[in-house]
Amino acid sequence: MATAAGSTKAPPQDIVAIFHASFHPTRGNDLDWSLKATDDLQLDGVEFSSLPSGLHLVEQDVVYFTKDGLRGVCVFTRRQTSEQGQRGFRLSSLGILLARSLRPRPWRHVPALKALVRDLHSDSAPPANSSQDVWEPARRFFELRKARLEDLGGAGGWHRWSEELEFDIDDGGVEDVGDGYEQYTHASPTLHLPHLLRVLGPSSLTLYKHVLGRRRILIYTQPPVEAACFLCQVAADMCFEDQTTPATQGPNAAPQLKGKHKEGINVLGSVTLHDVDMLERESRTGRGWIACTTDTVFLEKPQYYDLLIDLTSYAPTERRATARPGLQLAIKELSARRPTYRLSTIRFTWSDVKLWTELDRILQLDADTNGVARARAHRASAPVWAWADAWGVYEDVCVVCARLCSGLWRSDNSNGSSGSREQWGSPRERSGRRRAHVRAYGDGIEGRRSSYRPQDDDDVGKYGSGSSGDEDEDGAVLVRSRQTRTTLALLQTFHAQTRFLLSRLATVLPSTASPLPDAQLTPRDLLVLALGPLSSLDARFVEWLAEEYAGGARVSVRRGWRDLLGGLVGAAVGGSGTASSS
């Protein structure tokens, strides 16, 4: 955990291996040096995880990965060199592996690992052909942070989100902890949950359903990969508490189902073609996984995943109509010879609108406390094409229509909304707000630090002149505090939705005391869960939940025309009342 300013605390001791990998022009990826806590730990293939394809296009990056069930992280650098045969650049990664725990936190070591890389690559470092040990700083680093206790001194434990999201006021500051190294604090990737929701929009609830249903999720990106690795962790954290913490049963509490697995969905981080066997093994466990990759060939192999998120289609700074990353489902098609797979574009379902309305309200409150000045400045200088966000307009229309049909418009106004015009605005205004409230790359997202700087006279009067370092520091603390509160509110909303789904699922599933070999649900049962009776994704979502929580019973949703007609009648008669009672 992060420590308060001025406090002294030893760094986490949960590292079981440290290694250095580099790319050789003729031999390929090489493991140059390593140090392990135990001899039985195998590092074969870790050089491929730490040097994914395409990384030579960037100067530096941070790569999160998994090796034989151990979470790891490495710092990649591309340095110019005149050495013969190196083609002008030396590509290398210095990485670590963490011991197994309920919640590994490799990001806590990243700032110190970056400092170690600078130390090893500095001009004062001994040359490779010197008799002096060039890896001595890395050895001291490993001894300082090596796992010594079975419980890792609490480094891998889990308590609650309020403690997890604590941060140091001097984020990015250092404290001397001896042996020439300093204690760094690094914020949890979970703090980027608001940004993830802003980027994906209502489609983030499709991702939520796949995480809760323990599906296989693959994110396709281009270098650098640190942002995609953060997205993997953030997506898993939406359901981490419910997938790992048993529900407390009160005397009048609704019955809650227990899942087969006691751990959250597996966060694999960056994967390459070298990890195909690992993906197949993880898929057979039923625990589910989420990973990212830079290998384009995975786009032609949808049999290895259930949901594909294409981050390369998201370009908020370019003049293109695509304002969201693309989401695609891997659809299995049965043929005479063997099953084949294809990708089908998916966005969100109308049943997601109610939950998205609550999430969007929290995001709007966050924007009102931090993004007002930036929004005004951005709209004043926005180009004419900013309103022509084709998907954004279509998304707004779908959400408005879904809210009108489900009766949510009136309920929002009764809860203190300022009216339909102010709540929704025109498509042009909605598109402008969306662009204004999504922070740009390097502006406090994707692992980069941010400090608040006032943009107009009103903000100067509220926060000070903004000319001194102390006031900038106070602004950064204010932004981080607000970001923590917003993230906690969003996590609580996801937690409440998950508890609601599981409690309602317990009322429609067959008794776990005598599970049926093949139980069937109807579209009317989907209405009990406030899901769409006509949505094939919602039907599959219920089947995924039953696979995890039905106690061994195989459950499917009937989707004949008679069943769908009965679902429509149920929605017209009592479906809206059931949904609103949640």
Side-chain angles (χ1 to χ4, degrees), residues 63-132:
V63 183
Y64 295 84
F65 61 94
T66 299
K67 166 65 176 173
D68 295 336
L70 303 178
R71 296 283 300 277
V73 63
C74 64
V75 175
F76 166 83
T77 55
R78 185 185 71 175
R79 296 171 290 120
Q80 291 187 350
T81 181
S82 58
E83 184 178 351
Q84 186 177 1
Q86 291 293 335
R87 303 178 184 176
F89 292 99
R90 181 180 292 276
L91 311 178
S92 62
S93 287
L94 181 69
I96 55 175
L97 288 177
L98 272 60
R100 285 183 174 86
S101 63
L102 178 61
R103 184 171 175 80
R105 300 174 178 86
W107 53 85
R108 298 181 63 188
H109 300 275
V110 169
L113 200 60
K114 289 182 177 180
L116 177 59
V117 170
R118 290 193 297 267
D119 191 5
L120 293 175
H121 297 164
S122 64
D123 297 335
S124 59
N129 56 0
S130 173
S131 59
Q132 187 176 353

Side-chain angles (χ1 to χ4, degrees), residues 505-562:
L505 186 64
T507 64
V508 300
L509 286 180
S511 174
T512 57
S514 56
L516 300 176
D518 190 4
Q520 290 188 338
L521 303 179
T522 66
R524 282 177 176 255
D525 294 323
L526 298 185
L527 292 174
V528 177
L529 281 79
L531 298 176
L534 300 180
S535 171
S536 60
L537 177 59
D538 283 350
R540 284 196 294 265
F541 176 51
V542 173
E543 294 174 356
W544 300 339
L545 292 181
E547 182 180 340
E548 173 70 13
Y549 296 98
R554 294 181 302 172
V555 178
S556 60
V557 178
R558 297 202 306 263
R559 292 187 52 78
W561 69 270
R562 293 178 182 272

Side-chain angles (χ1 to χ4, degrees), residues 172 220 225 315 360 393 437 475:
Y220 174 63
V225 301
D360 187 56
V393 174
H437 293 158

Side-chain angles (χ1 to χ4, degrees), residues 216 280 283 298 300-306 330 339-343:
R216 304 169 301 170
E280 292 179 340
S283 299
F298 275 107
E300 304 173 359
K301 298 181 179 295
Q303 65 270 26
Y304 291 112
Y305 48 86
D306 299 308
T340 58
Y341 295 81
R342 64 178 176 87
L343 294 176

Side-chain angles (χ1 to χ4, degrees), residues 146-202:
K146 183 173 65 174
R148 293 179 172 85
L149 301 176
E150 184 177 354
D151 62 352
L152 306 179
W158 163 254
H159 301 284
R160 55 182 181 270
W161 281 121
S162 58
E163 295 183 10
E164 174 71 15
L165 299 182
E166 288 179 355
F167 63 91
D168 195 333
I169 296 178
D170 296 325
D171 187 26
V174 296
E175 294 176 334
D176 188 8
V177 294
D179 290 335
Y181 289 98
E182 300 168 314
Q183 167 71 17
Y184 288 75
T185 59
H186 200 59
S188 170
T190 316
L191 287 171
H192 301 296
L193 176 60
H195 180 67
L196 168 66
L197 299 181
R198 289 186 178 101
V199 170
L200 291 182

Side-chain angles (χ1 to χ4, degrees), residues 158 161-162 165 190 193 234 237-242 359 362 484-497:
W158 163 254
W161 281 121
S162 58
L165 299 182
T190 316
L193 176 60
V234 173
D237 287 344
M238 290 191 294
C239 303
F240 178 82
E241 182 178 6
D242 295 289
L359 296 173
I362 298 174
T484 301
R485 293 195 302 270
T486 301
T487 303
L488 288 174
L490 295 172
L491 289 171
Q492 178 59 32
T493 303
F494 279 115
H495 172 71
Q497 175 68 11

